[in-house]
Amino acid sequence: MASEHRLTISTDAHGHTAGWAEAELEAALTVDVDKSAAAFFDIDNTMLQGASIYWIARGLAARRYFTTSDLARFAWQQARFRLLAAEHAGDMSQAKKVALAFIEGWRVDDIERLTEEIFDELMAPRIFAGTRSLAQLHLDSGERVWLVSAAPVEIGRVIAQRLGLTGAIGTVAEVIDGAYTGRLVGDLMHGPAKADAITQLANVEGLDLRRCTAYSDSINDLPMLSAVGTAVAVNADSGLRREAREQGWEMRDFRTGRKAARVAVPSTLAAGLLAGAVTTVLAMRRRRRGL
């Protein structure tokens, strides 16, 4: 016997079908999606308290990939680069030579697995709730949201996945047969390179940068902020605060008092952090070889 399919229609006390009311409500809540608009968020000190690569180093140290003394040396390198008043061409050139060399020979899938674990343990609790909410507003309006960082793109990709964002733009390391060679593909994703990257992405994705929004904490992200129609300074450093006032840009600060002073590490010095990471991990490898 063939099964019988019946359509049940609910009615209210006046005999009106409930389906009509639901359709009207759904239509009222429908958001007009602007496919030409998107948002771009810096990571370090904008989306995340501190530097993402530092937290990765902390997590690797906890897993005995290198020692506490290595981590202390890494922190010293971090402070050294933080004290630089400006980034000179020579500094960036040197950083480019050594950036990502510390993962030479590592498997990409191992780095991604470790990054996922470390994000859940150390980085997730340090995501700024306010910045995360701003990203969600863009997502809820139907816009796509990308993270843009000088950190390795694998780190940005994991953070984007964990936060439910569209994707990430970051520094790209050369990979052969699933392993890192220790060389970069192109330049560090820093300063003008960020603006170039989002411009290229806009061309591919059909975005109108005049309808896009960018968020950052650092004056060194001025090229990216200037490339879009709406710029927002988040947890801004002094240089960006001055620029934001002059340009009339919106400013948001999700830090609080002593915590803000303690965790702030300029995101634009991520290249320096990468250089510091090289020192720590290479030292670890030398010890292992000695053993």
Side-chain angles (χ1 to χ4, degrees):
M1 179 176 178
S3 60
E4 184 178 1
H5 297 278
R6 295 182 178 179
L7 174 64
T8 302
I9 301 177
S10 301
T11 60
D12 58 18
H14 302 288
H16 300 139
T17 59
W20 285 111
E22 292 172 359
E24 291 174 357
L25 177 60
E26 183 176 338
L29 294 177
T30 299
V31 177
D32 292 330
V33 177
D34 185 355
K35 293 295 185 181
S36 66
F40 303 98
F41 285 80
D42 173 54
I43 296 178
D44 298 346
N45 294 314
T46 302
M47 182 65 73
L48 171 72
Q49 296 178 26
S52 54
I53 198 167
Y54 173 73
W55 296 118
I56 295 298
R58 280 274 302 268
L60 292 175
R63 289 162 174 75
R64 300 184 183 279
Y65 281 89
F66 47 84
T67 68
T68 303
S69 61
D70 291 328
L71 186 61
R73 189 180 300 107
F74 178 80
W76 178 85
Q77 288 282 348
Q78 192 176 184
R80 173 175 172 267
F81 283 98
R82 183 179 177 184
L83 289 173
L84 291 175
E87 295 182 49
H88 304 291
D91 297 324
M92 293 304 296
S93 176
Q94 181 62 20
K96 180 179 178 180
K97 289 179 181 178
V98 299
L100 304 184
F102 71 101
I103 56 174
E104 179 183 355
W106 287 41
R107 302 289 303 176
V108 175
D109 51 2
D110 287 337
I111 288 292
E112 292 180 338
R113 173 181 56 81
L114 288 167
T115 299
E116 289 174 353
E117 294 177 5
I118 294 168
F119 175 85
D120 294 338
E121 293 172 10
L122 298 177
M123 299 162 75
R126 294 175 170 87
I127 295 293
F128 287 110
T131 311
R132 177 67 185 89
S133 295
L134 290 175
Q136 190 61 47
L137 287 174
H138 287 280
L139 292 172
D140 291 343
S141 67
E143 297 180 17
R144 287 166 288 177
V145 177
W146 278 275
L147 297 176
V148 186
S149 176
V153 68
E154 288 79 10
I155 294 177
R157 186 182 299 130
V158 167
I159 297 175
Q161 290 172 346
R162 285 297 200 260
L163 297 180
L165 307 181
T166 307
I169 300 171
T171 297
V172 178
E174 183 182 64
V175 175
I176 296 180
D177 296 331
Y180 294 104
T181 66
R183 296 184 295 269
L184 290 181
V185 176
D187 293 324
L188 289 168
M189 193 55 60
H190 168 85
K194 288 188 177 182
D196 292 342
I198 67 172
T199 299
Q200 292 176 28
L201 180 66
N203 292 333
V204 172
E205 297 291 335
L207 302 174
D208 182 352
L209 287 179
R210 294 169 298 180
R211 302 185 64 79
C212 293
T213 308
Y215 299 82
S216 179
D217 70 296
S218 171
I219 187 61
N220 282 298
D221 280 339
L222 186 58
M224 178 177 74
L225 294 169
S226 301
V228 298
T230 302
V232 182
V234 177
N235 307 329
D237 60 25
S238 58
L240 183 57
R241 283 198 301 272
R242 286 192 299 270
E243 186 69 24
R245 292 191 190 101
E246 292 178 5
Q247 299 290 341
W249 292 341
E250 182 180 353
M251 289 190 284
R252 300 290 187 94
D253 200 321
F254 302 117
R255 301 167 298 178
T256 55
R258 292 171 59 190
K259 178 183 289 187
R262 188 169 61 251
V263 303
V265 177
S267 60
T268 55
L269 301 182
L273 298 179
L274 288 169
V278 173
T279 302
T280 57
V281 184
L282 291 181
M284 174 272 291
R285 286 188 171 182
R286 282 195 296 270
R287 273 195 301 275
R288 282 186 174 177
R289 289 167 182 164
L291 292 175

